[in-house]
């Protein structure tokens, strides 16, 4: 029996993950996804990170002759274009939503206000400041990394690890938008999210020293737990915006740590 029919649903899940997380033109090969394909797509988020990393590394090599600072700025710009600013939008929504509701004392009213502002497509001053600071710090961190003579290929790790964090986060938290809507992690189960995350991390750990792996993974774990507890106290779970913001913060943290380590 051919294995192609068995692999087809998983290939569709990967394509859905690419379409959802990037602006790469692969939608033509994606069939109309059902609930199972959408749920399985979560497991391929880190692979999408690898794909983004490869494209960014190739781009960085192509423009390396422009100088460190210009190359860093253009690489971050390409990063934003490839993802369609999806995760930046999540960070902006989270910042606006938190500051809109953080002074409300009643927990129910606070939750409703935060979710309402998250759903609002408008971008406030707080969100704008957060985006500018994050992008500026990313450019400086990337330029500093390359000024130290670090291989451009190290950039591959950042989008990959940042998207691995999505899996354990979804396993820990409940979806907060609608009490009648379950998290995508419930299909087929949260346990698989942990297993898939560990499988992704295993080769990465073997590629770095024990110290580097400990620092990178320990810092990401601390960020993940903090982000989970923070939004649990605010809205009792997470939304897609929380996941997008986690990716952006993880990427920023990884870039800073790589500068410190290398």
């Amino acid at each position: 029996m051919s294995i192609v029919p068995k692999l087809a649903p998983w290939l569709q899940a990967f394509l859905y993950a690419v379409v959802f997380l990037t602006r790469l033109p692969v939608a033509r090969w994606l069939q109309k996804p059902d609930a199972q394909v959408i749920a399985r797509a979560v497991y391929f988020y880190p692979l999408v990170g690898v794909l983004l990393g490869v494209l960014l590394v190739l781009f960085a090599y192509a423009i390396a002759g422009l100088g460190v600072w210009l190359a860093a700025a253009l690489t971050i710009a390409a990063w934003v274009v490839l993802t369609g600013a999806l995760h930046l939008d999540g960070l902006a929504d989270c910042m606006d939503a938190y500051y809109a509701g953080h002074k409300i004392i009643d927990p129910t009213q606070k939750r409703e206000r935060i979710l309402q502002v998250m759903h609002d497509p408008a971008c406030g001053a707080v969100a704008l400041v957060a985006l500018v600071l994050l992008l500026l710090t990313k450019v400086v961190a990337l330029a500093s990394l390359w000024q130290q003579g670090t291989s451009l290929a190290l950039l591959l790790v950042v989008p990959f690890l940042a998207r691995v964090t999505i899996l354990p986060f979804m396993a820990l938290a409940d979806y907060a938008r609608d009490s009648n809507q379950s998290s995508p992690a419930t299909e087929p189960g949260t346990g698989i999210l942990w297993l898939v995350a560990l499988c992704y991390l295993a080769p990465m750990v073997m590629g770095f020293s024990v110290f580097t792996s400990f620092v990178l993974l320990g810092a990401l774990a601390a960020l993940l737990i903090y982000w989970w507890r923070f939004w649990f106290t605010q809205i009792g779970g997470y939304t897609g915006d929380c996941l997008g913001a986690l990716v952006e913060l993880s990427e920023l943290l990884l870039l800073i740590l790589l500068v410190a380590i290398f």
Side-chain angles (χ1 to χ4, degrees):
M1 181 182 296
S2 174
I3 64 172
V4 174
K6 295 182 179 180
L7 291 177
W10 292 98
L11 292 175
Q12 287 295 305
F14 172 70
L15 286 175
Y16 182 86
V18 174
V19 171
F20 181 65
L21 295 181
T22 75
R23 291 299 178 265
L24 296 175
V26 299
R28 70 187 74 176
W29 297 298
L30 179 64
Q31 302 170 4
K32 186 177 181 180
D34 56 22
Q36 190 175 45
V37 167
I38 294 174
R40 287 175 173 176
V42 173
Y43 305 134
F44 292 98
Y45 285 1
L47 285 184
V48 176
V50 173
L51 178 59
L52 288 171
V54 170
L55 294 175
L56 290 171
V57 168
L58 292 175
F59 180 79
Y61 273 112
I63 64 171
L66 297 177
V68 171
W69 286 96
L70 182 56
L74 291 176
T75 300
I76 295 300
W79 206 327
V80 174
V81 171
L82 285 172
T83 59
L86 175 68
H87 309 306
L88 289 170
D89 179 71
L91 177 64
D93 287 341
C94 284
M95 294 301 296
D96 272 343
Y98 169 71
Y99 279 98
H102 77 288
K103 291 184 178 180
I104 299 177
I105 298 176
D106 182 81
T108 301
Q109 292 181 1
K110 175 188 287 189
R111 179 181 183 276
E112 292 175 352
R113 177 58 177 164
I114 289 175
L115 291 175
Q116 178 187 18
V117 175
M118 272 190 183
H119 190 65
D120 188 345
C123 182
V126 173
L128 182 60
V129 170
L131 294 180
V132 170
L133 290 176
L134 181 131
L135 291 172
L136 179 61
T137 308
K138 273 190 170 183
V139 170
V140 174
L142 194 57
S144 299
L145 194 62
W146 291 343
Q147 277 185 329
Q148 295 172 187
T150 307
S151 171
L152 297 178
L154 196 61
L155 182 60
L156 177 66
V157 177
V158 178
F160 164 66
L161 284 180
R163 284 153 185 80
V164 172
T165 60
I166 294 177
L167 277 63
F169 186 87
M170 292 179 68
L172 285 171
D174 295 320
Y175 193 70
R177 181 64 71 180
D178 186 348
S179 59
N180 296 320
Q181 182 177 358
S182 61
S183 161
T186 61
E187 181 62 46
T190 58
I192 298 182
L193 288 170
W194 289 103
L195 178 61
V196 173
L198 290 174
C199 290
Y200 277 125
L201 292 175
M204 193 283 302
V205 171
M206 291 186 291
F208 285 105
S209 67
V210 174
F211 172 77
T212 300
S213 298
F214 177 80
V215 171
L216 295 181
L217 297 184
L220 284 179
L223 173 62
L224 188 151
I225 293 172
Y226 169 78
W227 201 241
W228 163 57
R229 288 296 303 171
F230 179 81
W231 288 109
F232 178 80
T233 59
Q234 301 299 318
I235 58 176
Y238 76 94
T239 67
D241 288 326
C242 299
L243 295 177
L246 176 63
V247 170
E248 286 294 338
L249 294 174
S250 297
E251 289 178 346
L252 179 62
L253 177 62
L254 287 167
L255 286 172
I256 293 173
L257 290 174
L258 289 175
V259 172
I261 294 172
F262 292 92

